[in-house]
Amino acid sequence: MARFFNTIIALSLLLLVSCQEGGEAGDLFGQWRLADSDTKYVSFSGSLTLFRSISEGEVYGKFQHVGDSLFIQCLSIYGVPSDTAIVEKSFGFQPFGDIRLRIEALSNDKIVLSKGQRQWKFRKY
């Protein structure tokens, strides 16, 4: 029964994302592919984000774009350790519940994010 409710929550989030048509996402709106990977994507819509790894699964989060900063709080719908692994190990964004990144560049087809000495480049998909 709990799995049924979790599925309903996940479907509700998807519906919410599709109805927001960009909203607060602004220039981040859309699906972005990690430049050095064909299997890792990040999507932004409204105030929600979706991390998706083709081989590992997907994780939702809430984000806030303030100036040149991006704040993300990921949400584990099923509460499984693999959700944290997708974000922290596969993408390298840490910590799972309080990701803070700097937006180095943002254009119609490219996002460059950084944290300390680490940098991630995404292309619009």
Side-chain angles (χ1 to χ4, degrees):
M1 189 66 150
R3 187 164 181 91
F4 172 76
F5 287 115
N6 286 337
T7 302
I8 295 296
I9 290 170
L11 290 173
S12 298
L13 282 172
L14 282 174
L15 182 60
L16 180 64
V17 168
S18 65
C19 292
Q20 290 182 352
E21 297 182 22
E24 298 172 29
D27 292 339
L28 292 171
F29 178 73
Q31 183 167 304
W32 301 84
R33 181 177 61 87
L34 191 60
D36 62 352
S37 172
D38 289 334
T39 63
K40 297 176 188 167
Y41 299 87
V42 175
S43 300
F44 297 95
S45 181
S47 61
L48 298 176
T49 188
L50 170 67
F51 291 95
R52 184 167 58 105
S53 171
I54 301 293
S55 61
E56 299 175 50
E58 54 190 35
V59 175
Y60 291 92
K62 292 170 50 178
F63 79 92
Q64 189 175 27
H65 176 195
V66 179
D68 67 349
S69 297
L70 181 61
F71 304 98
I72 303 172
Q73 293 180 319
C74 292
L75 309 167
S76 180
I77 294 172
Y78 300 109
V80 293
S82 61
D83 288 349
T84 303
I86 290 169
V87 175
E88 290 190 351
K89 293 183 180 157
S90 184
F91 282 90
F93 295 138
Q94 296 180 352
F96 181 78
D98 188 22
I99 300 166
R100 296 166 184 255
L101 303 167
R102 184 169 196 270
I103 300 173
E104 299 288 338
L106 176 58
S107 67
N108 290 338
D109 64 345
K110 179 175 80 170
I111 300 175
V112 179
L113 303 173
S114 68
K115 182 173 186 176
Q117 300 299 317
R118 183 108 191 249
Q119 193 174 73
W120 298 267
K121 295 178 182 178
F122 292 86
R123 296 275 181 206
K124 192 86 167 225
Y125 181 73

